[in-house]
Amino acid sequence: MPRPFNIYRLLYPDEKYIWIQVRILHETDKAILVDNGMKIWIPKSKIHGTRLRNGIFEIYVKKNVVG
């Protein structure tokens, strides 16, 4: 069911979350160094889910976290 039109949503759209395939290279108490074509540090507080699908590790993050 589509949401009704709202000025607030126009100015502040919902955050987009995506699953990305990663390879974990290093982990600290606060962040994980991952490789998904480029090596980036992702704070653990920004990771909203993890899964292993068909032998591939994936994390669920906001779209703007990974570029």
Side-chain angles (χ1 to χ4, degrees):
M1 178 180 212
R3 295 182 182 176
F5 179 75
N6 187 324
I7 296 294
Y8 179 81
R9 284 196 196 98
L10 184 61
L11 297 174
Y12 305 100
D14 291 338
E15 295 284 347
K16 304 283 187 201
Y17 289 85
I18 58 172
W19 287 100
I20 59 166
Q21 296 179 1
V22 296
R23 190 172 55 130
I24 296 176
L25 301 176
H26 186 72
E27 180 180 4
T28 67
D29 291 340
K30 296 184 180 184
I32 296 174
L33 178 64
V34 299
D35 181 11
N36 66 332
M38 62 181 180
K39 295 178 184 175
I40 57 172
W41 284 96
I42 298 179
K44 287 183 178 179
S45 62
K46 302 288 184 184
I47 299 172
H48 296 278
T50 59
R51 70 181 179 191
L52 184 64
R53 189 173 67 159
N54 298 327
I56 299 170
F57 189 73
E58 298 178 334
I59 58 175
Y60 193 61
V61 293
K62 287 183 184 178
K63 191 173 185 178
N64 62 355
V65 169
V66 293

